[in-house]
Amino acid sequence: MKESKSIGEAINRLSGSPIARKILYSFAVFYLIAFILLPPLLGISFKLDLIDQVFRDEILLNRAKSAIMWSFTIAFIIAILDLIAGIPMAWIIARGKSNLINILDAFVDIPFVIPTVALGFSTLLFWNSNYSPLKFLGVNVSPGFFLILLLHFAFSFPVIVRVMVGELLTYKDVYENAAKSLGAKSFTVARTVTLPILKPGLVAAFLLAFARSLSETGATMIVAGAFENGPIFIKNAKDAGLEGPMVLVSFILIIASITVFGIIRILGTKFRIPIGNVYPDFEALLSKSISVKIRNVLTITIFIFLVFIPSIFITSPVLGAISDGTLVKAISGEGIWSSFWNSMILSYTIGIIATLINVITGFPVAILIARKRLGHIGSILLEAAVNVPIVVPSVALGVSLGFFWRTFSFLSEFWIIIFAHTTITYTYFVQAMAAAIEGIPEEMEETARTLGSKALGVFKNIIVPLTKYSIFSGAILMFTRSVDETGATTAVSQKLQTAPVLLVNWIKGIVPATTSDIALGISFLVLTSFISLLVLRLVVYRRR
Amino acid sequence: MPAIQLRDVSKRFGDTRALESISFDVKDGEYLCILGSTGSGKTTLLRTISGIIKPDQGEILYDNKNMKDVAVEDRNAVYVPQTYALFPHLTVIENVCFGPISKGVDLNEAKNRALQILKLVKLDKRANSYPNELSGGMQQRVALARGIASNTKLLLLDEPLGALDARLRLELRVELKKIAQENGLTVIHVTHDQEEAMSIGDRIMILRKGRIQQIGTPLHVYLSPQNIFVANFIGNTNFIEGTILKRNTRGSSIRIRGGYQIMVDDTSHVAEEPVVTAIREEKIKLFDHPIEAKNTLSGDLIGANFLGTFIRYEVKLDNGDILAALHPPNSDLTKLRLGDRVAISFETFHTKIFDYPVLGLKRELEAY
């Protein structure tokens, strides 16, 4: 006991040494560069000689070009549409006074917590069911471009709403009050004062929705039919054993997405929302309470029919699975279910290990970013490096990571999948932690230091207690993201099958499975997300 | 120019009573300062007048028109918070143009008017700067210019000088009043600084725990405080607890602690009535030797604090009461040392007598 105390004291004393801190931060930055940033960029470059195959086949080349073009087009359309629909929803949640707002607030997150494979299957079932609103209009939505749009709209919607609700809640209403007292109507205030001030949040929300659409693979595979965007093209090329096209499209998607992101990030801050002219009569009409009510009803209707119901529609065949004996078959592990449980254990194990690695290696990087320890430019570069994995489409990332890690022949497939998952989930933790640490006034740390606390003491007694919610939520977010990950895992795995990859094979008919099997399998996966979130809430509330 | 009337206005936030039956009038073109300590309800009152907060009861009238159903943006009353709320994404001129453009004024016309007003506040050369490029004083002037440009006649200023340094505050006080007068504005100005309120306000209103304590010209409030709280809040005042001993047509004598007696001009209280005598610190004379005069008490010097214009001496009287006296620093009294025997004296006509408060003197002096 005494010995462990003295070891603790020694570590505490050591943490006060600038050299020890430098070593720790250097290790974290080395990990970021060597394990997160370089593998996706280098892996693909190892195989660039294969792209020749594509240039010799004009049909393949045209397919590749069209797939890339569609990826960016869909992502752009989705980001715009979600912004238009998401901002009014964020407004309702942030400014609404009814108790029903809390329910609406929780429902908005539904597409977040449902694994993308489940979301894809649910969307497919809903838009082809008799309950589809388009069916009433006599329109059949078959798998393809339009269904991809509907799917991407649903799963990117919560991103916009979450970001904008956060922005609106922290926004000081003093500007709105000042603008109103100067005679501006509420619509004019929103257009000329609130939204321009929240522009960084708008740009961030747009980018996140854009990235989510660009990157999504698992759900898109289910609703794509014969249509190909970038990720689907890569998956199809992989299934057909065509490495050349896979490398070309992955390479272009990686480079193009990083470039597009850079451009939007730079131009986004320069873009000015036009405020020069005000149309008093028209804007007064839009500010009237009846106009606001119409807008709210329209926003909620769009949410219910385009986001909420398509996301939870999966629950209907699950009820059938309980009564038709599928549940018994599943629990006893009969037939196709024997491999399902192995896949679930594999998914959980990978999720836990990837989360632990990222918490340990991501924390120092979050501190470096939040406290700008590498200077202003250094922090920007570090943040850009951290963001690379979420900017790049996950399947392209998986292809590149597969190539990179397989060059180390001593690594088993299990560890290659883990490294792929750490890369994919790393950003979520570091971003959440950097934001949380930024919110703690630096004076608190400085005061603790002047009171005699060493760096470890400050970390343990100030940073961790004040950011515990973010640590847990970041860890849970990483874990659920890892368990649900489909695109990169599909690209990187050869023999091992995680649960989402196995479910895609069931849905695609590669392994014969009934609708009840699929729905139940997906429900077990969904349960993971719900239990994880429940644990998060319990832990956080108990600690409070 | 609008005249403002408040009739029985009350506002609660949960269990907290922020405003209690507030009624007062503000005349056309008047500059009214609302004075109170933190939590007295002055900001709530200002935000209620502006329409940002809705009162739970009572009426607010602008030029005899009830504002109950009139939205903030339709009241033509410009609210300027302590931080000025200059829109950070707009330049100075765009900020100043905001009001006219929102009301449909042509952009060029709005810009011309904005430039004229910026000239008035001597900021036309900074028209294209962003708010974060300006000093605190400049930001304050832009906020004023923005209000004037919106064609308002009612300015609601919440601690407008609070964020500025002492010297700039003094300069801008004068400027603020001048701009308000030149533009014929009615101004309601909230502050916790009594000197600021007294120097700038045509009238001042003292607020405590959401209730009006007194309203009047600065001089009237200073010379004739209506209650112990106001006497203590405005200026520096000594309070002596005692009981009326005798009363005649010219005044009363009061028995204070230790059996001592003082004489006052007041004739409104009857014998045996407990009272509190208030005497301004600057009205108390201090002597370094014993003297023979009415209202003279002796004691030991226990404190001397140099305040710049004055030295504030604290004397512990032989009866245990502690009184303070303000004297210019150039007097002979500067030779006094702590513990020296001294005498204090005051005139009967410099005293003000109040009923003894039901909850005790200490409670009455608390701001909250």
Side-chain angles (χ1 to χ4, degrees):
Chain A
M1 188 72 184
K2 216 172 187 181
E3 201 175 308
S4 68
K5 199 180 168 193
S6 64
I7 293 171
E9 276 170 12
I11 295 173
N12 193 26
R13 267 202 310 277
L14 188 66
S15 73
S17 144
I19 297 171
R21 284 206 300 273
K22 267 185 192 158
I23 292 171
L24 176 74
Y25 288 134
S26 304
F27 167 74
V29 174
F30 167 77
Y31 179 85
L32 167 64
I33 294 168
F35 285 76
I36 307 294
L37 183 65
L38 288 184
L41 300 177
L42 285 182
I44 206 78
S45 62
F46 292 165
K47 299 277 181 177
L48 279 180
D49 52 322
L50 294 175
I51 61 175
D52 226 23
Q53 293 174 13
V54 191
F55 292 108
R56 276 177 287 170
D57 183 340
E58 203 178 325
I59 296 173
L60 204 56
L61 185 65
N62 286 337
R63 256 180 66 200
K65 275 193 218 163
S66 146
I68 292 164
M69 190 269 291
W70 277 120
S71 267
F72 284 97
T73 308
I74 290 170
F76 190 75
I77 294 171
I78 288 304
I80 297 278
L81 290 178
D82 271 329
L83 214 51
I84 294 168
I87 290 172
M89 181 57 104
W91 219 280
I92 293 172
I93 293 171
R95 299 285 163 86
K97 289 187 175 67
S98 158
N99 288 335
L100 294 174
I101 297 294
N102 289 332
I103 299 170
L104 193 65
D105 191 15
F107 280 178
V108 162
D109 285 338
I110 293 268
F112 252 156
V113 296
I114 293 181
T116 51
V117 175
L119 203 63
F121 191 57
S122 192
T123 305
L124 184 69
L125 287 180
F126 175 70
W127 291 108
N128 284 290
S129 74
N130 291 329
Y131 303 102
S132 157
L134 292 176
K135 268 255 164 83
F136 285 118
L137 303 172
V139 180
N140 265 326
V141 188
S142 52
F145 173 74
F146 193 56
L147 202 53
I148 291 180
L149 277 187
L150 289 168
L151 168 76
H152 284 213
F153 179 85
F155 70 66
S156 296
F157 185 81
V159 176
I160 302 268
V161 177
R162 253 327 117 228
V163 173
M164 291 316 294
V165 166
E167 291 284 331
L168 283 167
L169 288 177
T170 52
Y171 170 71
K172 294 177 196 158
D173 64 358
V174 70
Y175 296 119
E176 284 185 10
N177 289 335
K180 279 186 186 170
S181 82
L182 288 166
K185 299 284 179 192
S186 55
F187 183 86
T188 312
V189 176
R191 185 176 70 77
T192 59
V193 176
T194 311
L195 289 178
I197 289 177
L198 299 183
K199 196 173 67 179
L202 283 173
V203 173
F206 179 90
L207 280 175
L208 281 172
F210 186 82
R212 207 160 147 79
S213 169
L214 196 65
S215 178
E216 213 295 315
T217 313
T220 314
M221 278 192 261
I222 292 160
V223 301
F227 182 83
E228 279 184 329
N229 66 356
I232 302 300
F233 179 90
I234 294 168
K235 162 81 171 120
N236 290 343
K238 190 196 177 223
D239 290 346
L242 297 169
E243 279 201 330
M246 196 164 84
V247 169
L248 176 73
V249 174
S250 297
F251 179 73
I252 294 175
L253 279 181
I254 290 172
I255 301 299
S257 47
I258 292 172
T259 312
V260 167
F261 258 68
I263 291 170
I264 296 176
R265 189 121 213 148
I266 294 162
L267 291 186
T269 53
K270 298 212 160 88
F271 166 73
R272 272 191 76 140
I273 297 171
I275 49 176
N277 288 314
V278 171
Y279 311 96
D281 294 339
F282 179 61
E283 295 191 347
L285 182 72
L286 291 178
S287 304
K288 280 188 172 172
S289 111
I290 183 74
S291 307
V292 174
K293 276 183 189 148
I294 291 171
R295 187 199 69 201
N296 289 351
V297 168
L298 206 62
T299 303
I300 293 170
T301 308
I302 287 173
F303 168 69
I304 289 172
F305 287 102
L306 295 185
V307 179
F308 183 66
I309 298 178
S311 302
I312 59 154
F313 200 72
I314 185 79
T315 50
S316 57
V318 169
L319 297 174
I322 296 167
S323 58
D324 68 8
T326 310
L327 183 63
V328 179
K329 223 169 66 179
I331 292 169
S332 57
E334 267 178 52
I336 57 170
W337 286 96
S338 61
S339 51
F340 176 81
W341 294 116
N342 288 337
S343 296
M344 282 292 274
I345 292 168
L346 179 69
S347 288
Y348 276 69
T349 312
I350 290 170
I352 290 168
I353 296 174
T355 302
L356 285 176
I357 293 175
N358 280 349
V359 168
I360 294 164
T361 57
F363 226 124
V365 174
I367 294 173
L368 286 176
I369 292 172
R371 295 297 184 227
K372 298 193 169 48
R373 295 266 154 86
L374 301 180
H376 185 62
I377 306 260
S379 294
I380 290 173
L381 290 175
L382 208 57
E383 212 175 342
V386 166
N387 282 329
V388 165
I390 59 157
V391 169
V392 175
S394 63
V395 69
L397 199 70
V399 167
S400 191
L401 289 171
F403 287 140
F404 181 83
W405 289 114
R406 273 196 283 276
T407 56
F408 302 92
S409 53
F410 58 89
L411 278 178
S412 67
E413 191 185 343
F414 175 75
W415 281 103
I416 292 176
I417 297 177
I418 284 184
F419 284 141
H421 281 225
T422 52
T423 305
I424 283 163
T425 57
Y426 184 83
T427 315
Y428 295 98
F429 183 73
V430 176
Q431 272 190 342
M433 287 318 302
I437 296 167
E438 233 164 13
I440 304 172
E442 211 164 348
E443 288 88 349
M444 276 195 207
E445 287 180 46
E446 289 161 358
T447 309
R449 297 292 289 275
T450 61
L451 291 168
S453 185
K454 301 278 182 203
L456 185 66
V458 173
F459 177 75
K460 227 168 57 182
N461 302 318
I462 309 285
I463 304 279
V464 172
L466 289 176
T467 58
K468 65 183 178 223
Y469 179 81
S470 300
I471 298 171
F472 280 113
S473 55
I476 293 287
L477 201 65
M478 276 195 293
F479 176 72
T480 48
R481 176 79 181 91
S482 169
V483 169
D484 300 340
E485 213 293 318
T486 317
T489 320
T490 308
V492 91
S493 61
Q494 287 173 323
K495 286 180 193 153
L496 292 177
Q497 278 191 328
T498 59
V501 173
L502 177 121
L503 285 168
V504 169
N505 289 342
W506 285 12
I507 295 164
K508 287 272 175 187
I510 298 166
V511 174
T514 64
T515 306
S516 293
D517 285 326
I518 298 167
L520 195 61
I522 283 171
S523 301
F524 285 128
L525 200 59
V526 171
L527 218 57
T528 316
S529 306
F530 277 119
I531 290 171
S532 304
L533 287 175
L534 197 67
V535 168
L536 171 72
R537 275 170 193 260
L538 283 177
V539 169
V540 170
Y541 284 119
R542 186 171 291 178
R543 296 221 167 188
R544 270 180 193 168
Chain B
M1 287 183 283
I4 309 299
Q5 292 166 288
L6 271 79
R7 297 283 170 262
D8 202 25
V9 170
S10 294
K11 178 73 192 172
R12 294 175 79 108
F13 295 110
D15 291 336
T16 310
R17 291 174 183 181
L19 300 175
E20 282 273 295
S21 299
I22 299 281
S23 298
F24 66 92
D25 294 356
V26 186
K27 299 180 203 91
D28 286 352
E30 186 179 5
Y31 201 115
L32 175 76
C33 279
I34 300 175
L35 187 60
S37 45
T38 309
S40 59
K42 49 192 194 304
T43 295
T44 303
L45 178 56
L46 203 65
R47 288 163 69 86
T48 308
I49 295 169
S50 75
I52 294 166
I53 293 176
K54 290 210 180 309
D56 296 334
Q57 68 169 64
E59 290 177 339
I60 297 168
L61 296 93
Y62 289 14
D63 283 335
N64 296 318
K65 188 187 168 196
N66 193 333
M67 289 288 118
K68 187 170 178 248
D69 297 319
V70 181
V72 181
E73 58 268 31
D74 297 327
R75 292 190 181 198
N76 203 17
V78 171
Y79 170 67
V80 182
Q82 189 175 1
T83 53
Y84 314 130
L86 295 179
F87 306 130
H89 61 298
L90 302 182
T91 59
V92 165
I93 194 156
E94 285 169 337
N95 261 285
V96 179
C97 283
F98 185 89
I101 290 175
S102 294
K103 290 169 185 165
V105 174
D106 173 70
L107 185 62
N108 287 329
E109 195 186 325
K111 275 190 176 169
N112 288 337
R113 167 121 177 95
L115 270 176
Q116 279 174 15
I117 294 165
L118 281 173
K119 259 183 203 159
L120 182 79
V121 296
K122 301 181 191 84
L123 276 173
D124 49 318
K125 291 199 172 90
R126 302 303 298 266
N128 294 315
S129 301
Y130 281 92
N132 63 1
E133 296 164 356
L134 304 179
S135 68
M138 288 173 175
Q139 288 183 18
Q140 200 260 358
R141 296 210 299 267
V142 176
L144 276 182
R146 187 172 70 174
I148 296 166
S150 78
N151 218 15
T152 185
K153 289 295 171 195
L154 174 60
L155 268 184
L156 304 167
L157 309 175
D158 190 358
E159 302 267 10
L161 308 174
L164 308 174
D165 63 66
R167 180 161 288 278
L168 194 57
R169 267 209 308 269
L170 286 176
E171 284 172 21
L172 286 181
R173 265 184 212 167
V174 181
E175 208 170 326
L176 202 56
K177 183 78 182 268
K178 196 173 139 215
I179 290 171
Q181 278 175 340
E182 283 173 358
N183 288 276
L185 301 174
T186 303
V187 182
I188 302 179
H189 171 139
V190 152
T191 179
H192 65 270
D193 182 336
Q194 55 160 296
E195 202 182 297
E196 180 181 308
M198 292 177 82
S199 67
I200 203 170
D202 295 328
R203 283 191 303 156
I204 59 174
M205 186 174 101
I206 319 295
L207 208 60
R208 179 200 186 203
K209 294 180 188 170
R211 286 177 181 274
I212 295 176
Q213 300 296 304
Q214 189 168 357
I215 185 162
T217 63
L219 193 64
H220 175 75
V221 172
Y222 182 80
L223 294 176
S224 308
Q226 261 174 20
N227 57 39
I228 291 173
F229 178 81
V230 175
N232 185 49
F233 197 76
I234 300 290
N236 302 305
T237 310
N238 291 293
F239 295 98
I240 305 172
E241 294 168 81
T243 309
I244 300 283
L245 203 60
K246 273 193 296 197
R247 179 180 73 160
N248 58 35
T249 50
R250 286 162 53 203
S252 308
S253 64
I254 298 172
R255 183 176 57 235
I256 63 170
R257 199 183 338 191
Y260 296 95
Q261 273 186 43
I262 57 171
M263 304 298 294
V264 297
D265 278 357
D266 177 81
T267 56
S268 63
H269 293 79
V270 294
E272 295 307 316
E273 201 178 336
V275 290
V276 173
T277 305
I279 316 150
R280 295 287 184 199
E281 290 179 2
E282 65 273 20
K283 300 297 181 193
I284 290 191
K285 288 178 191 151
L286 181 72
F287 300 94
D288 56 2
H289 54 272
I291 57 157
E292 287 293 325
K294 204 161 47 175
N295 286 344
T296 299
L297 298 162
S298 52
D300 299 327
L301 186 72
I302 59 165
N305 295 308
F306 180 52
L307 305 177
T309 320
F310 292 101
I311 296 177
R312 186 170 185 269
Y313 295 99
E314 277 188 328
V315 178
K316 186 170 186 182
L317 301 178
D318 294 337
N319 71 352
D321 284 349
I322 295 171
L323 297 190
L326 293 175
H327 275 261
N330 55 358
S331 72
D332 289 345
L333 298 171
T334 50
K335 293 174 194 153
L336 281 170
R337 295 287 169 267
L338 296 187
D340 285 354
R341 288 292 291 170
V342 291
I344 60 122
S345 158
F346 52 87
E347 301 290 348
T348 54
F349 53 84
H350 282 146
T351 58
K352 173 93 184 157
I353 308 300
F354 297 103
D355 294 345
Y356 194 84
V358 181
L359 298 174
L361 178 61
K362 199 176 161 201
R363 184 79 189 87
E364 187 63 19
L365 294 175
E366 286 171 2
Y368 309 104

